[in-house]
Amino acid sequence: MAEHTPLFMIENLHAGIEGKEILRGVNLVIERGEIHALMGPNGSGKSTLAYVIAGHPNYEVYEGRILYKGENVLELPPDERARMGMFLAFQYPTAIPGVTMANFLRLAVNSVRKARYGEDKALTPREFRRLLREKLEMLRMDETFASRYLNEGFSGGEKKRAEILQMAMLEPEFAVLDETDSGLDIDALRTVADGVNQLFNSNMALLVITHYQRILNYIRPHYVHVMLDGKIAVSGGPELAEELEEKGYDWVKTQYAEAAS
Amino acid sequence: MATPEVELKRLGSEYAEKYGFRDPEQYVFKARKGLDREVVEQISWIKNEPDWMREFRLKALEYFLRRPMPTWGADLSELNFDEIVYYIKPTERQGSSWDELPEHIRRTFDRLGIPEAERKFLAGVGAQYESEVVYHSLREELKRLGVIFVDMDTAVREYPDLVKQYFGTIVPPNDNKFAALNSAVWSGGSFVYVPEGVRVEVPLQAYFRINAENVGQFERTLIIVEPGAYVHYVEGCTAPIYSAASLHSAVVEIIVKEGARCRYTTIQNWSKNVYNLVTKRAAAYRDATMEWVDGNLGSKVTMKYPAVWLMEPGARGEVLSVAFAGDGQHQDAGGKMVHVAPYTSSQIISKSISKGTGRASYRGLVKVHRGAHHVRANVVCDALLLDEQSRTDTYPYMEIEEEQVSIGHEATVSKVAEEQLFYLQSRGLTEAEAMSMIVNGFIEPITKELPLEYAVELNRLIALEMEGSVG
Ligand SMILES: Nc1ncnc2c1ncn2[C@@H]1O[C@H](COP(=O)(O)OP(=O)(O)OP(=O)(O)O)[C@@H](O)[C@H]1O
Ligand SMILES: [Mg+2]
């Protein structure tokens, strides 16, 4: 049987910041066409994992590998990972004063397109504007967002929408959404979730970090993982999220403690 | 703001290739090294000047020799006046079409994109090569309206009355050591006269090119904007890279009369062996507006503080200054606002960026004379540091002799946040692209004031500075 390469795989990842270990042996395999949810209490290491996947320079990796399309990406700078088709929707997006969304996106989209599809696959200004308009419409965002400065003065919910707008423009094959649902009102949650579902296809995969069952009613995960103290303590199907909503993390903690002992 | 990715991608080359190339030295006349009475007289003789101008030069030379080097500002200790050639005449005569120029000079300006810019978006162009303006043009319809745009030497010959009336009145020869130097050996530069009520809607541009090694360029510009008129004058400059220092020391004098408006934009991109020591000053009369947009990217050392003297009520002055100090550069830049009359207003906005061993200093003065009540003045200076090593300082002088005034001052220093870099990189931008994007965003309040072509140019130059320098 030929060796099968999953789209995304984490092996025994130990990582942290300033010598403090936060992730303590994470393992995860994600195939194309799959949606995985990652839940877990505050401070358990979910965002840290997201940052390490994206290549944040402040985080140190002590051990383990992250394989994307079979290649260990840990040695690659964040921009190369992005140009390979990886994407992170930030929990707390950063504002860049003076840089308009449109100018930024045009540079980003074309860097990524050229790297992934070939030098001649950059969008012309007209094609770019059309695509941007289309995606703004899909996310029910006002056209004026194109000329606003990136995340500057955006409301919490607008920032989250803008993250998904970027995802829509960049067409990643593997995306991590870090609490994209928090800060969104009920209608916005629906719009954003609809948007993500439209973008999703069997050739890509998603890792959705969330605290709430609600978004998972729209973006249906195939697998749910619970992170405790820097490790994935429990994994299961979509029913695990419902159980968590009912019983809380203490239930997982006891179960995990029992299993470990 | 325009930072399309094509602009960034086109930047495969560094300064050396784009601007730093050099032509073989060919000239009709080259003065010997060093400066004395004989050299000054020689310049005046070659130019066949009237006596009053020769006297003006010789008097200025005395001031220059008498005055000590400034002890404030940037370090000028390596500047050796004896090693510099003060005058080079590159061609026998000036051309009014590019074809008339010697091949090597025409190629240079072609490579710098000047004829192309002229066709696309300029009303007139002056091109100076070494000490003389080798090319000049002005659209016919502007000539018919009485607009004058010629090089300064031509103006001395053809408009002696106008020149005599204003030359050296805004920046007197003894104003400072470098104004004195310029007054003694000046050559080239622009003379602009805009008659009453005439609005020159598209910019006039001058381009200054130094080619030879160890030379000084001392252009002299005089702009007179009659009541209700408007003009936007733009200057750019570049030079080849040499190890020996070159000197650029210009004087610019501007008179903006009642209800008139003048905007003067500089994109200074000298190579990093040029000392750029320039005096720029305007007088603004009743309800007139003077705006300096000053972009300093190149040079080894720049000392430049464009000034507006607000002479009558309603006058308004503005300085928008961008300075980029890369490795080994010291940009000592800022602005001066002198409120002579009541009910005048001014604004200085300075944005500086320092990288590596670069140092950007903001130096500015707001002066309110006694009796100049109801003055409003505002100074904002923001500095951005690109790394741990780079450095910035601010010297915001205020001399306020009147009480009924409103003066605002804000200063910020910030570092490029790692989070911003990471955010942009996580979207596929390289570190250099991310860095230039952040920097271009930082200066956006100024670039948005520029015509698109210059905004693009400024952003492009900054991207160029960023290239090959990070990581
Ligand atoms: N830059 C940092 N410096 C020091 N400690 C950090 C840093 N970043 C994260 N940590 C610590 O690492 C732990 C995990 O943080 P992380 O942000 O990954 O949690 P999380 O699971 O995403 O939490 P939340 O659900 O609240 O978003 C926390 O204890 C946090 O304080
Ligand atoms: Mg988090």
Side-chain angles (χ1 to χ4, degrees):
Chain A
M1 207 179 80
E3 205 41 69
H4 162 76
T5 311
L7 177 67
F8 183 79
M9 186 157 81
I10 300 177
E11 284 176 357
N12 189 31
L13 182 68
H14 291 256
I17 195 158
E18 287 160 12
K20 176 181 146 199
E21 183 165 317
I22 300 167
L23 301 179
R24 303 185 303 136
V26 176
N27 290 289
L28 190 62
V29 178
I30 301 181
E31 300 282 357
R32 289 184 195 273
E34 291 180 354
I35 297 176
H36 290 234
L38 180 63
M39 306 182 80
N42 294 132
S44 57
K46 304 181 297 295
S47 292
T48 302
L49 180 65
Y51 277 146
V52 174
I53 292 172
H56 195 300
N58 289 1
Y59 290 84
E60 303 142 2
V61 174
Y62 309 119
E63 212 183 319
R65 302 197 297 171
I66 296 182
L67 301 174
Y68 172 68
K69 296 182 179 173
E71 184 177 345
N72 188 2
V73 295
L74 285 175
E75 294 306 316
L76 302 178
D79 48 308
E80 273 183 51
R81 301 184 199 195
R83 290 198 295 269
M84 289 169 72
M86 297 173 68
F87 182 84
L88 167 63
F90 284 62
Q91 182 174 3
Y92 303 110
T94 312
I96 317 279
V99 174
T100 64
M101 187 75 128
N103 278 337
F104 153 68
L105 269 177
R106 225 178 111 199
L107 185 56
V109 164
N110 282 337
S111 308
V112 169
R113 286 182 70 94
K114 280 192 268 185
R116 287 172 65 195
Y117 312 134
E119 278 298 317
D120 57 335
K121 291 297 190 293
L123 299 177
T124 64
R126 180 196 289 260
E127 289 168 335
F128 171 79
R129 277 195 300 274
R130 227 187 52 205
L131 185 69
L132 181 56
R133 222 176 358 246
E134 188 185 298
K135 300 300 181 190
L136 280 164
E137 210 167 290
M138 178 182 89
L139 291 161
R140 296 173 197 250
M141 294 173 79
D142 197 89
E143 282 205 16
T144 53
F145 271 95
S147 50
R148 283 183 63 181
Y149 298 148
L150 189 51
N151 295 325
E152 199 173 59
F154 285 21
S155 76
E158 285 167 348
K159 281 187 189 165
K160 296 305 175 74
R161 264 188 221 233
E163 291 292 290
I164 300 306
L165 174 73
Q166 294 177 42
M167 173 176 159
M169 295 295 291
L170 294 168
E171 301 173 345
E173 280 173 273
F174 177 66
V176 179
L177 310 187
D178 192 357
E179 296 199 28
T180 300
D181 53 338
S182 46
L184 290 178
D185 67 42
I186 302 165
D187 293 339
L189 180 67
R190 182 158 221 147
T191 313
V192 167
D194 283 349
V196 172
N197 283 330
Q198 277 186 55
L199 297 173
F200 185 71
N201 61 54
S202 60
N203 200 36
M204 66 176 293
L206 290 178
L207 179 62
V208 180
I209 299 173
T210 182
H211 286 293
Y212 307 105
Q213 164 62 31
R214 212 177 49 200
I215 190 173
L216 302 179
N217 290 335
Y218 301 117
I219 304 173
R220 310 283 314 175
H222 303 91
Y223 301 95
V224 175
H225 311 277
V226 181
M227 181 166 271
L228 281 185
D229 215 5
K231 278 185 208 168
I232 292 181
V234 193
S235 296
E239 71 289 344
L240 180 56
E242 281 158 36
E243 227 170 326
L244 270 176
E245 186 101 332
E246 242 169 72
K247 302 182 182 163
Y249 287 120
D250 281 342
W251 165 73
V252 188
K253 282 180 193 164
T254 7
Q255 274 214 329
Y256 183 55
E258 277 168 21
S261 62
Chain B
M1 190 182 87
T3 41
E5 73 288 349
V6 279
E7 295 301 337
L8 281 168
K9 290 298 178 206
R10 247 177 39 196
L11 292 170
S13 55
E14 296 269 348
Y15 187 96
E17 190 190 315
K18 281 193 81 83
Y19 314 104
F21 60 89
R22 54 183 92 163
D23 299 337
E25 261 192 52
Q26 296 171 23
Y27 41 80
V28 221
F29 175 80
K30 183 176 182 176
R32 65 168 158 76
K33 270 187 195 172
L35 181 59
D36 53 23
R37 224 183 135 87
E38 194 183 69
V39 169
V40 171
E41 284 186 333
Q42 207 170 34
I43 293 172
S44 190
W45 180 80
I46 288 172
K47 291 176 179 293
N48 195 12
E49 282 177 346
D51 283 348
W52 73 268
M53 186 54 82
R54 201 184 70 242
E55 293 308 318
F56 179 93
R57 288 180 184 277
L58 290 169
K59 189 83 201 142
L61 177 67
E62 279 173 37
Y63 294 137
F64 168 71
L65 295 173
R66 259 212 310 272
R67 274 187 171 267
M69 285 292 265
T71 49
W72 50 274
D75 177 11
L76 302 177
S77 59
E78 284 174 36
L79 180 58
N80 184 352
F81 290 113
D82 298 331
E83 281 304 310
I84 287 167
V85 172
Y86 289 80
Y87 180 76
I88 298 184
K89 186 179 166 84
T91 57
E92 208 48 76
R93 70 183 71 76
Q94 194 180 97
S96 56
S97 87
W98 293 101
D99 294 335
E100 293 168 50
L101 302 188
E103 175 71 17
H104 68 284
I105 297 182
R106 198 185 68 220
R107 260 206 322 270
T108 290
F109 286 111
D110 256 340
R111 246 178 115 168
L112 297 168
I114 311 303
E116 190 191 347
E118 177 184 29
R119 283 193 298 276
K120 282 189 185 155
F121 58 87
L122 296 170
V125 167
Q128 177 156 350
Y129 191 89
E130 315 291 24
S131 302
E132 295 289 348
V133 176
V134 293
Y135 170 84
H136 229 289
S137 76
L138 179 65
R139 285 191 191 164
E140 278 304 323
E141 70 265 27
L142 291 173
K143 283 186 191 163
R144 277 198 298 273
L145 289 170
V147 175
I148 303 169
F149 179 40
V150 295
D151 68 282
M152 199 63 225
D153 295 278
T154 302
V156 171
R157 280 193 308 274
E158 293 180 11
Y159 308 98
D161 296 342
L162 274 174
V163 173
K164 238 175 149 168
Q165 187 181 348
Y166 295 105
F167 195 95
T169 58
I170 308 294
V171 180
N174 200 16
D175 187 80
N176 64 74
K177 188 168 180 79
F178 292 95
L181 173 63
N182 174 282
S183 300
V185 296
W186 75 267
S187 182
S190 305
F191 176 75
V192 179
Y193 178 83
V194 189
E196 183 162 354
V198 173
R199 299 183 53 86
V200 183
E201 298 292 354
V202 264
L204 304 176
Q205 174 164 322
Y207 198 92
F208 298 94
R209 176 75 179 174
I210 297 178
N211 179 61
E213 193 170 3
N214 264 326
V215 297
Q217 193 177 57
F218 306 96
E219 88 271 9
R220 179 94 192 189
T221 289
L222 174 60
I223 299 177
I224 302 156
V225 193
E226 292 288 351
Y230 167 72
V231 70
H232 183 186
Y233 176 91
V234 184
E235 60 174 0
C237 55
T238 54
I241 303 159
Y242 292 111
S243 50
S246 294
L247 172 60
H248 172 256
S249 194
V251 166
V252 177
E253 301 176 282
I254 302 181
I255 297 101
V256 197
K257 297 196 184 167
E258 185 170 340
R261 180 172 158 219
C262 177
R263 170 170 278 209
Y264 190 111
T265 298
T266 303
I267 298 188
Q268 182 269 106
N269 191 22
W270 292 119
S271 53
K272 288 176 187 172
N273 56 302
V274 175
Y275 284 84
N276 182 45
L277 310 167
V278 170
T279 308
K280 290 183 161 161
R281 193 174 301 155
Y285 293 89
R286 186 175 297 272
D287 298 328
T289 300
M290 175 67 214
E291 299 154 321
W292 296 102
V293 182
D294 199 32
N296 289 298
L297 294 123
S299 81
K300 174 186 173 75
V301 164
T302 283
M303 286 173 70
K304 178 164 35 136
Y305 324 97
V308 185
W309 286 56
L310 301 141
M311 307 299 292
E312 289 177 354
R316 233 189 86 70
E318 186 166 72
V319 171
L320 301 176
S321 172
V322 178
F324 186 103
D327 281 317
Q329 290 182 288
H330 187 179
Q331 307 281 10
D332 201 272
K336 287 187 199 171
M337 293 293 172
V338 181
H339 294 263
V340 180
Y343 301 101
T344 50
S345 62
S346 70
Q347 164 141 289
I348 298 174
I349 298 178
S350 157
K351 298 245 172 195
S352 77
I353 301 130
S354 326
K355 178 170 84 71
T357 57
R359 177 176 168 197
S361 311
Y362 167 79
R363 192 181 301 275
L365 169 69
V366 172
K367 180 168 174 113
V368 179
H369 281 272
R370 179 158 303 286
H373 48 84
H374 296 91
V375 155
R376 280 182 297 116
N378 193 34
V379 178
V380 180
C381 37
D382 298 326
L384 183 67
L385 301 174
L386 298 192
D387 47 56
E388 296 302 321
Q389 202 187 355
S390 52
R391 131 164 213 213
T392 180
D393 344 68
T394 16
Y395 307 95
Y397 301 102
M398 301 272 175
E399 293 171 18
I400 315 295
E401 297 170 357
E402 181 61 44
E403 268 153 36
Q404 265 187 312
V405 293
S406 143
I407 311 286
H409 174 63
E410 277 171 56
T412 66
V413 177
S414 50
K415 291 204 168 117
V416 168
E418 274 180 351
E419 293 310 318
Q420 292 181 328
L421 276 178
F422 172 62
Y423 186 77
L424 296 178
Q425 279 189 268
S426 80
R427 300 314 189 224
L429 274 60
T430 63
E431 190 177 355
E433 287 169 337
M435 198 65 117
S436 9
M437 191 152 257
I438 292 165
V439 170
N440 286 336
F442 171 74
I443 60 167
E444 204 269 354
I446 293 176
T447 41
K448 75 165 189 245
E449 292 294 318
L450 295 175
L452 183 66
E453 292 81 4
Y454 298 103
V456 171
E457 173 78 356
L458 199 60
N459 288 336
R460 222 161 53 76
L461 292 175
I462 282 178
L464 187 70
E465 293 289 339
M466 231 54 86
E467 271 221 338
S469 60
V470 284

